[in-house]
Amino acid sequence: LLDGSRSKETEGEIEALFKKSLELEPDGVTTAGKLALLYVSQDRMEEAIPLLQMVISRNRFDLAATQAIARAYRKTGRKAEA
C-alpha cells in the first residue's frame, strides 16, 4: 500500500480511506501512522507531524513513526525537536 508504486489518484483514494477510518476510530494508531507516512512520502510534513506525535504518544517504540517525525521536524526547520 505504501510501497511508492502508486499513482496520485490511488494516493488520493488511500488518503480518503485513512481519513474515513480515523473518523470512525479517532484513536486508530495504526491508521494514523499509515496516513502520516503517506503524508511524509508526499512532503506534507505539517500534516504528518500531529499524527506522528499521536502515534508516538501511544507507542514510543514505534520506530517508523520516530524516524518519520525526525525527518518531518528537520524538513520543517524544527531541528531542535528532531
Side-chain angles (χ1 to χ4, degrees):
L1 212 110
L2 296 175
D3 65 2
S5 64
R6 61 202 177 270
S7 69
K8 294 289 182 192
E9 182 178 322
T10 303
E11 285 183 351
E13 293 169 5
I14 292 168
E15 179 181 354
L17 290 171
F18 285 156
K19 286 181 171 182
K20 183 65 175 173
S21 179
L22 283 174
E23 285 177 22
L24 298 171
E25 187 182 351
D27 291 331
V29 175
T30 300
T31 302
K34 289 183 179 193
L35 180 57
L37 293 177
L38 176 66
Y39 287 157
V40 167
S41 76
Q42 297 171 334
D43 277 335
R44 295 167 61 185
M45 303 305 176
E46 293 295 341
E47 293 170 89
I49 289 171
L51 292 169
L52 292 165
Q53 289 170 332
M54 186 264 277
V55 170
I56 293 168
S57 75
R58 288 171 174 76
N59 179 6
R60 64 187 178 110
F61 299 108
D62 188 316
L63 183 59
T66 302
Q67 290 174 333
I69 202 167
R71 179 177 175 204
Y73 283 149
R74 282 192 308 275
K75 285 214 159 208
T76 57
R78 296 161 65 175
K79 294 180 182 176
E81 294 174 78

